[in-house]
Amino acid sequence: MVDPATSGPEGRAWHARAVAEHARLRGEPAVEEWRAAVQAFGYGQAYEVARGQWRLAEALAQVGERDEARAVAGEAAAAAGRMGAAPLQRAIAAMLQGARLAPTAARADGVLTRREREVLALVAEGLTNREIGRRLYISEKTASVHLSNLMAKLNVSSRTEAVTVAVRRGLHEVT
């Protein structure tokens, strides 16, 4: 067995994550273990930091630290959105929903940016990311990032669901 104390930063990070995952699999919230894993991956593994924040938020919710869980999950969702990590965004959204930490309609309404509202309107028209990019003079990838961000904020996992939820919440009017 390798001693984590003599490992480099990557080895220590993976060891911290293994310890946290082991505790989680035993049914323990492991808040401190997840904090250590998030901190250990801070050397430059953005995806692993976001993934660790997701699990940390889950653990915080289990021990009743709802406000901190919501904040940590928000950081993880924002990072996942910036990276275009849609599966991670969906996992975070599902955790928020399951723990009843999902944003309310009023909060979602207040946090959609002007550009996200523009992208949402074009999604409602049935445009692809490439078409949205052309219409807004942005790249296809940037359109995808805006879409991922608004989907995370609305706690949805598909384009259709984003439009449906937005209409229901009064964030978008069907014309």
Side-chain angles (χ1 to χ4, degrees):
M1 182 164 146
V2 177
D3 179 7
T6 61
S7 298
E10 185 174 15
R12 287 190 299 272
W14 286 108
H15 177 22
R17 172 150 164 224
V19 169
E21 285 289 1
H22 186 251
R24 183 178 71 84
L25 292 173
R26 287 192 319 259
E28 302 167 9
V31 170
E32 293 312 313
E33 289 85 344
W34 282 113
R35 284 189 206 283
V38 167
Q39 183 177 8
F41 278 110
Y43 69 89
Q45 289 285 339
Y47 181 85
E48 292 302 329
V49 169
R51 188 184 182 289
Q53 287 172 322
W54 161 47
R55 292 298 192 190
L56 173 58
E58 189 175 60
L60 288 163
Q62 286 178 342
V63 299
E65 296 293 335
R66 299 177 60 75
D67 290 338
E68 187 179 359
R70 194 176 289 114
V72 171
E75 290 175 28
R82 286 189 302 274
M83 290 182 280
L88 181 56
Q89 286 182 298
R90 288 191 296 273
I92 294 165
M95 183 277 299
L96 287 168
Q97 186 77 19
R100 297 190 175 164
L101 297 172
T104 63
R107 283 182 55 191
D109 183 31
V111 297
L112 286 182
T113 66
R114 178 186 55 80
R115 185 60 95 183
E116 288 165 348
R117 287 176 178 273
E118 291 170 345
V119 168
L120 179 64
L122 296 174
V123 167
E125 290 180 27
L127 274 64
T128 65
N129 289 348
R130 177 171 287 152
E131 293 167 328
I132 291 168
R134 286 185 185 140
R135 183 87 59 95
L136 297 177
Y137 303 101
I138 58 177
S139 72
E140 179 180 352
K141 177 64 178 166
T142 300
S144 172
V145 169
H146 286 304
L147 180 59
S148 294
N149 288 342
L150 77 86
M151 287 172 61
K153 290 176 181 179
L154 295 176
N155 194 29
V156 298
S157 59
S158 74
R159 298 165 77 93
T160 304
E161 191 179 10
V163 174
T164 302
V165 168
V167 168
R168 227 182 271 143
R169 294 180 179 177
L171 303 175
H172 177 73
E173 291 184 24
V174 179
T175 54

